Amino acid sequence: MSCVQTLRELGYRMTPQRQAILEAVHTHDDHFSTEEVHEEVRARYPQVNISTVYRTLELLKELGLVTQTDLGEGILRYHHIDKGHHHHLICENCGAIIDVDESVFSPLKRELLQDYQFKANMSHFAIFGRCAKCQR
Amino acid sequence: MSCVQTLRELGYRMTPQRQAILEAVHTHDDHFSTEEVHEEVRARYPQVNISTVYRTLELLKELGLVTQTDLGEGILRYHHIDKGHHHHLICENCGAIIDVDESVFSPLKRELLQDYQFKANMSHFAIFGRCAKCQR
DNA sequence: CGCTTTATTGCAAAGGGTTGCAACAATCAA
DNA sequence: TTGATTGTTGCAACCCTTTGCAATAAAGCG
Ligand SMILES: [Mn+2]
Ligand SMILES: [Mn+2]
Ligand SMILES: [Zn+2]
Ligand SMILES: [Zn+2]
């Protein structure tokens, strides 16, 4: 089901701003930033304020339609949930980013549920450390 | 070995500001914020700027003397490495914080090292999700 | 001790993100 | 179609954190 439908059914209103933001979110395959979405939206609706983009992305995150991740750049990046689940290992020394499949976290997720009855939301993780090259 | 010694041996200079910050860091058993450290330091040296506290805590983090964690409050919190390792499960719904031992992450850490030669720095994690009460 | 070197600081500005508020507009019922 | 309701937006102000820069001062050496 489309994001537009989901929002509508949950009682949220569909504004031109939200529609444009949703379209921008869907055209990106990679990890997009708020600023990038804002630029695309502004190409069509120049008056749209960036706080609207922040608020909309926050809403989409709360509804589980996008994931939010801090890759260590000083900004937050987003990822449409339809584009697949994966995580990132980030080298604190050289900045290298290694992608890992979400299955790596499955045992941990299972243990947290069994031992703590905690349902971890691990849809897009960034783990910092040292890559192979950068260890001594 | 004391933090003061470590800093000195690495070639960093020991200033009254740094000494006061280190003392504040050591008196806290819990997760302290930059602001809290700044207040304690200012009680003795009123002219110390908060950016110095930010810079010093960042340095201590880079040297592995403290851990930095975002518990979802909108601020960063720190933890002296001597006070033991543990992690937190944070409920996105009710805000409950469940402490978990660092051993929960050992298998994952091992797997990342074996499969990706990646040495993960998992000294103080915050995992968001839903606690037992808040699921359904 | 005095001098040189250069790491560190205070300050102000900036950057990313959030928030209060009044104006606006999507929605729905009449 | 109109009006009432109330969710949403633009804007400005703010919060936390980082950063450039010139002034300061710690450290080491003669
Ligand atoms: Mn990703
Ligand atoms: Mn902790
Ligand atoms: Zn590396
Ligand atoms: Zn809860």
Side-chain angles (χ1 to χ4, degrees), chain A residues 5-134:
Chain A
Q5 274 307 96
T6 305
L7 286 176
R8 277 228 163 85
E9 284 175 18
L10 290 170
Y12 294 98
R13 294 181 183 173
M14 195 45 53
T15 63
Q17 290 94 327
R18 282 194 176 153
Q19 234 160 290
I21 292 169
L22 284 174
E23 281 169 32
V25 164
H26 278 89
T27 58
H28 278 275
D29 286 336
D30 54 334
H31 309 98
F32 51 87
S33 67
T34 312
E35 183 58 44
E36 284 162 15
V37 171
H38 186 219
E39 273 167 29
E40 284 178 42
V41 169
R42 240 185 346 194
R44 259 201 295 158
Y45 303 96
Q47 82 292 354
V48 173
N49 193 273
I50 197 167
S51 66
T52 297
V53 181
Y54 276 113
R55 278 191 277 233
T56 302
L57 291 177
E58 174 66 22
L59 174 63
L60 296 179
K61 170 190 144 199
E62 273 166 20
L63 299 181
L65 299 173
V66 303
T67 60
Q68 182 191 61
T69 313
D70 174 6
L71 296 175
E73 305 166 290
I75 61 170
L76 294 173
R77 290 199 173 271
Y78 296 84
H79 198 279
H80 192 283
I81 212 76
D82 282 355
K83 313 279 168 141
H85 289 190
H86 60 274
H87 307 278
H88 301 279
L89 308 179
I90 302 174
C91 180
E92 287 167 339
N93 189 243
C94 72
I97 298 185
I98 303 160
D99 288 10
V100 304
D101 193 76
E102 66 168 337
S103 60
V104 179
F105 286 84
S106 301
L108 171 61
K109 202 169 173 174
R110 212 175 303 125
E111 188 173 345
L112 293 179
L113 197 55
Q114 274 182 16
D115 296 2
Y116 300 89
Q117 288 78 51
F118 187 83
K119 192 166 186 179
N121 172 12
M122 299 197 279
S123 43
H124 197 190
F125 243 95
I127 292 190
F128 295 87
R130 292 247 168 183
C131 76
K133 281 184 213 148
C134 295

